[in-house]
Amino acid sequence: MSIFEQHLDRNPANHVPLSPVSFLLRAARIYGSRVAVIDGARRITYAQFLERARRLASSLAATGVGVGDTVAIMAPNTPEMLEAHYAVPMLGAVLCAINIRLDAAAIEFILRHSEAKVVLTDRAFASVMAQAVDGLGLLVVDIDDPQATGGERMDGPRPATSVDYEALLAAGDPTHPVRLPDDEWQAIALNYTSGTTGNPKGVVVHHRGAYLNACANALTFGLSPRSVYLWTLPMFHCNGWTYTWAVTLAGGTHVCLRRVDPAEIFAAIATHGVTHMCGAPVVLSMLIHA
């Protein structure tokens, strides 16, 4: 046996599993007072971002969510969606971000197939979610985004098992321990296709893959602490192509945007000094023709 294979086992001093959860810990430590998230008039610093993620993790753990469990979320590009990308995996649980354009049947299939224990849902989708969760017995957490317009605020009947997101956070522990996975091969996210040719197909992402892809995005896209990233790309698409984690890695600022509207995009660019954004060709065409 080679001398390099003796007495050189992994230990806490020389090995840490790769996980993008660590990006938020680092950002809060280095850039704690810097604005991490902008959502209309809301400003959330990195220190507050970490605290809110810890509160969410604590409250989810209190409901019985643990390692290997699935937590689903159906929301547009909001701070709550970002928070879930850190709170859920810091419990060792798996985040399943659902396409907001799906119908109740597809959503129900995803919730059943993923074996979700909890679903976080923006109130804009209350009607379709109520149909999807009927009979599933899931805990439903309602997100009431202050940026939602009147037409997006669905005040229909809520499932009996629903609770309010902010109330859930208020009951959480702001010092809840941040847990990195024991094995970086552990699942961090589960994403589904739209199911256009049958039932949706699920794809699993692990902590190592998410970490490395986020690093590659930050390097290739030139993200830095001075970057201001506008969320025109849906976060539910492959976890925002891992920019949900890459922007935090760089210590940049996330600018949330509920809807892809040229007027709102141009206003956000001018107001916040946006340096980066992503989008499909249709988004760029909208901007050109606006």
Side-chain angles (χ1 to χ4, degrees):
M1 179 182 293
S2 166
I3 58 172
F4 301 110
E5 296 178 11
Q6 301 176 45
H7 313 298
L8 293 173
D9 296 331
R10 297 176 183 178
N11 62 64
N14 65 26
H15 175 75
V16 175
L18 299 182
S19 170
V21 173
S22 64
F23 298 159
L24 183 54
L25 282 172
R26 175 181 179 274
R29 186 179 301 121
I30 300 174
Y31 309 116
S33 60
R34 176 173 294 167
V35 174
V37 183
I38 296 174
D39 182 43
R42 299 170 72 188
R43 299 292 186 274
I44 301 171
T45 67
Y46 268 111
Q48 293 168 332
F49 189 177
L50 176 59
E51 179 183 320
R52 287 176 62 84
R54 280 176 150 164
R55 284 181 178 276
L56 178 55
S58 170
S59 292
L60 289 174
T63 69
V65 173
V67 177
D69 290 329
T70 304
V71 175
I73 181 169
M74 187 169 176
N77 291 343
T78 62
E80 294 78 13
M81 180 66 114
L82 283 171
E83 289 158 6
H85 273 80
Y86 295 89
V88 173
M90 72 172 60
L91 287 175
V94 181
L95 183 67
C96 177
I98 301 175
N99 188 325
I100 63 175
R101 305 184 187 100
L102 298 181
D103 60 19
I107 296 168
E108 179 186 6
F109 174 85
I110 289 172
L111 293 175
R112 286 183 182 278
H113 189 263
S114 68
E115 301 181 0
K117 297 186 69 172
V118 178
V119 58
L120 317 177
T121 181
D122 190 281
R123 292 287 291 142
F125 314 114
S127 179
V128 68
M129 186 57 72
Q131 299 174 58
V133 302
D134 186 33
L136 295 183
L138 294 176
L139 172 64
V140 179
V141 180
D142 291 318
I143 302 168
D144 196 0
D145 181 13
Q147 295 306 306
T149 61
E152 293 174 314
R153 292 182 179 275
M154 302 288 291
D155 293 320
R158 303 186 183 191
T161 54
S162 67
V163 298
D164 178 72
Y165 184 88
E166 289 299 329
L168 192 73
L169 258 63
D173 179 4
T175 64
H176 184 80
V178 177
R179 179 186 181 278
L180 296 182
D182 295 326
D183 184 350
E184 60 190 26
W185 203 255
Q186 185 176 317
I188 188 173
L190 173 61
N191 299 307
Y192 281 85
T193 64
S194 59
T196 51
T197 57
N199 286 327
K201 312 300 189 297
V203 177
V204 178
V205 181
H206 50 55
H207 283 254
R208 176 183 173 85
Y211 181 104
L212 293 176
N213 203 78
C215 288
N217 276 346
L219 178 63
T220 305
F221 216 34
L223 297 175
S224 77
R226 294 175 296 281
S227 298
V228 180
Y229 183 88
L230 179 62
W231 274 105
T232 46
L233 163 70
M235 293 186 201
F236 63 74
H237 273 318
C238 305
N239 306 107
W241 301 340
T242 73
Y243 281 104
T244 46
W245 298 302
V247 176
T248 300
L249 162 63
T253 299
H254 299 263
V255 180
C256 291
L257 195 68
R258 280 188 68 87
R259 64 195 71 82
V260 178
D261 180 280
E264 294 189 24
I265 291 172
F266 284 122
I269 291 172
T271 301
H272 305 302
V274 170
T275 61
H276 295 74
M277 59 177 278
C278 294
V282 65
V283 175
L284 302 181
S285 295
M286 288 173 63
L287 294 177
I288 291 170
H289 292 292

